[in-house]
Amino acid sequence: MKFTDLNAHGGIGANCSLCELGPFKFVIDSGLHPKYAGPDSLPRHEIIERFSLDFIILTHCHLDHLGSLPLLSREQPDAPVILSYASSVLARRMLSNSISVMKRQRSELNIPELPYYGRGDLTSLYDRFKTPPLHTPYRLEKNGEFIEITLHHAGHVAGAVSVNVKYNRKSVFFTGDILFNDQRTLDGANLPKEPVDILVTETTRGATEIPKNQSRESEIVRMLRQMNSTLAKHGSVLVPVFALGRMQEMLAVLDEAFRKKAIPKVPVFCSGLGMDLVNHFHEISKNTNRVRFNRKVLKSIGARPLPKKIEPGRRPPMDGIFLVSSGMMVENTPSYVLASSLLGDAKNSILFVGYCDPSTPGGKLLSAQKDETFEFDAVDVIQKTEAKVCKFDLSGHANRDELLSYAKKISPRSVILHHGDPEAREWFKQNLKDEPFSIYDPEPLKTYEI
Ligand SMILES: [Zn+2]
Ligand SMILES: [Zn+2]
């Protein structure tokens, strides 16, 4: 197989891999880099000749995998886009939101090329969607030769799939973003166990050591304890979350906590896109028993939209739990503005439940010391770090040891390290070096013959 990582910045970003297997040329995912705007946020599509792709596969709908798909599909109008049914539902909402965000960035950041795509591009993209059932081979033909693509349930977020591609008795397995553990709203990954020739594995948590006795459940208990202590002091709790997946999972966690009286009943405020996606999760759950979600959860916890009058640096008009995006507290998002309102008061707490890149405001706040001043530049507010700031390990990604033992189980001839920072990949290199596999840590934009 020929493999080229088109994510120019390396690590996790504008995920997009170009693969060639026999006569078939295809791309897995086409994302937008969350830390950049404008041309820097795009994968290097220009390397792919127009009209040359036979198909495109989408693993899931986080924007670092999906965000530039309409652009790629416009350049490759003959290529069908293969994805799960759940992703086909979620992609529509995520991409139309992405157009609105890009339109806003056009004036805010003065980037005239934005938005990169419009509603017309989305319509033509949706016409090319193919949604084969999971765990069932889907065949494509070219000049009398066949390739077989099988999507497998990957956990991580509703719709996420790992992908097995078979051509001429050779098989390549792409994990995509993957979580083996069950969540409240989603079953863990269900992957094939038979050997493969090439494994392309995500490595997101390669640099994360999990303390003994720590589990997802123990982290939920620790988080509820912190919520309790904040609410007992009549403080507010801010939980920055990704709108897709993490928000719905946290709604389910809060619903259960209220029912079991693990925390007192207080108002819960949610922000726009995540609340809309609640309806999409509800629809998806009717078609699969792997996703468990009922929109009634909003009613049962008494969720309300965020009050309009949230002013940066000022106490919000009501106390409660604020479950709002973005998860990394990116500038000018509801979580960023609310943090500027809550950080200066020791009664409040800010609880992170997902990955924060160290260079984002969320990452910086996590490393800030108590009493240190913290600048919210984008809204012109400076606050002393008085509120309790904590992180809980409720990641949507598999632990490194789980990925390692999966790799050993399916005994590939070659392993390609993917979707991870350099330290994370290094851990996998060290821990796989005694295995009889060739390990590749591909440099961006360089083509490897594997
Ligand atoms: Zn993801
Ligand atoms: Zn990802």
Side-chain angles (χ1 to χ4, degrees), residues 12 15 60 64-65 177 397 419:
I12 304 172
N15 296 293
H60 67 289
D64 58 322
H65 297 257
D177 291 9
H397 293 271
H419 198 282

Side-chain angles (χ1 to χ4, degrees), residues 6-27:
L6 300 186
N7 168 25
H9 298 278
I12 304 172
N15 296 293
C16 188
S17 308
L18 172 64
C19 308
E20 284 176 66
L21 202 52
F24 293 94
K25 190 166 167 186
F26 58 97
V27 158

Side-chain angles (χ1 to χ4, degrees), residues 21 49 52-53 126 135 202 247 251 282 285 328 382 411:
L21 202 52
E49 204 183 312
S52 70
L53 287 186
Y126 304 152
H135 311 292
E202 73 130 305
M247 163 94 83
L251 286 168
H282 182 92
S285 71
M328 299 197 203
I382 297 180
S411 56

